[in-house]
Amino acid sequence: MGVNAISVLQEILNGFDFSGLRDILLRVIPALLCITLHELAHGFTAYALGDDTAKAAGRLTLNPIKHLDPMGLLMMVIFGFGYAKPVPVDMRKFQNPKRGMAITALAGPLCNVLISLVFYFLYGLLILPLSGSSTGQLALEMMETTVVLSLAMAIFNILPVPPLDGSKVLFSLLSDEGYWKLMRYERYGFLILAALLFTNAIDGPLSWLLHKGLSLLLPAAKLGFALGQSLF
């Protein structure tokens, strides 16, 4: 009976298509990395500027579950553009509230650009030694996916539409009166953002910016490849 059960299980596994699961993991793991470091950048920057709200909420952690927004992750996996659960920030604790909020908001997208640079460099550096095996090829694909998803997250979040980071940077340029007026209506920005996404109104510009950004970061991969040639 034991041998028969093992045989049946082996037949089931042999007939199962793992390619779909592999594709999901190739996007979910990089997405979790991008989301976690993005939110950590917000939290640590706010903490450095005098706001300990994120620290008190337990958000200065590498645990991706703490930063995960299920819908934002799903959007990253399916569309390549998404978001995380916002780190709590109390701008009243900043010495200069508007400037502190703008710097904190900008830290997330900048972190994502840095992630893309690092993983593009690693991709170029390791492409020669890793491309000869299936495991190595999987690692290369994951690096490449991380580059694209992280840059896409940076571009998406810099849009000047509440509640995205770009709106906080843009609002900081306004007068105090104008700033607080717009902040009152920030919660309605999500409706505007949802309309833009579901009507595909910004798909073209986002894709163009992504391809342009990847071409600007390409020298990092070329530098890694040149170094890899000498090392491997």
Side-chain angles (χ1 to χ4, degrees):
M1 290 292 292
V3 174
N4 289 337
I6 292 173
S7 298
V8 170
L9 179 61
Q10 187 172 6
E11 286 181 17
I12 293 173
L13 291 175
N14 288 338
F16 188 77
D17 182 10
F18 287 96
S19 61
L21 178 62
R22 178 180 178 276
D23 290 342
I24 292 173
L25 290 176
L26 269 174
R27 296 184 74 85
V28 169
I29 293 174
L32 288 175
L33 174 68
C34 297
I35 284 171
T36 300
L37 295 181
H38 177 100
E39 293 305 320
L40 267 180
H42 285 316
F44 274 117
T45 301
Y47 186 65
L49 293 173
D51 176 23
D52 62 350
T53 308
K55 187 177 188 301
R59 295 294 300 275
L60 300 188
T61 174
L62 285 170
N63 181 359
I65 303 301
K66 293 284 188 177
H67 307 292
L68 183 63
D69 182 291
M71 184 59 68
L73 177 64
L74 185 63
M75 283 177 59
M76 283 194 74
V77 171
I78 297 175
F79 303 113
F81 298 95
Y83 55 91
K85 183 165 64 177
V87 161
V89 175
D90 186 350
M91 62 188 297
R92 295 171 298 179
K93 295 184 178 183
F94 296 139
Q95 188 173 2
N96 185 320
K98 284 200 306 181
R99 184 176 65 187
M101 196 67 196
I103 294 172
T104 299
L106 197 57
L110 286 178
C111 177
N112 284 123
V113 173
L114 181 60
I115 292 169
S116 293
L117 270 171
V118 169
F119 275 85
Y120 227 167
F121 174 79
L122 290 175
Y123 180 85
L125 179 69
L126 300 173
I127 191 169
L128 290 176
L130 293 182
S131 57
S133 68
S134 57
T135 303
Q137 192 62 44
L138 180 64
L140 288 172
E141 287 183 48
M142 198 161 289
M143 290 179 205
E144 190 175 16
T145 302
T146 302
V147 171
V148 175
L149 282 182
S150 193
L151 186 58
M153 188 173 182
I155 292 169
F156 180 72
N157 277 278
I158 207 63
L159 292 175
V161 179
L164 300 179
D165 299 324
S167 66
K168 296 175 177 64
V169 176
L170 179 64
F171 289 0
S172 69
L173 302 175
L174 302 174
S175 66
D176 288 349
E177 183 182 357
Y179 182 85
W180 293 112
K181 274 185 179 179
L182 280 175
M183 287 297 286
R184 287 194 213 111
Y185 298 101
E186 184 182 26
R187 62 184 178 276
Y188 299 113
F190 186 79
L191 297 176
I192 299 172
L193 185 61
L196 290 172
L197 290 171
F198 285 110
T199 58
N200 300 321
I202 55 174
D203 283 7
L206 288 176
S207 296
W208 182 86
L209 287 170
L210 179 59
H211 284 95
K212 189 69 175 176
L214 288 172
S215 66
L216 291 174
L217 298 183
L218 185 59
K222 291 181 177 179
L223 178 62
F225 182 73
L227 183 59
Q229 283 182 309
S230 63
L231 292 176
F232 305 111

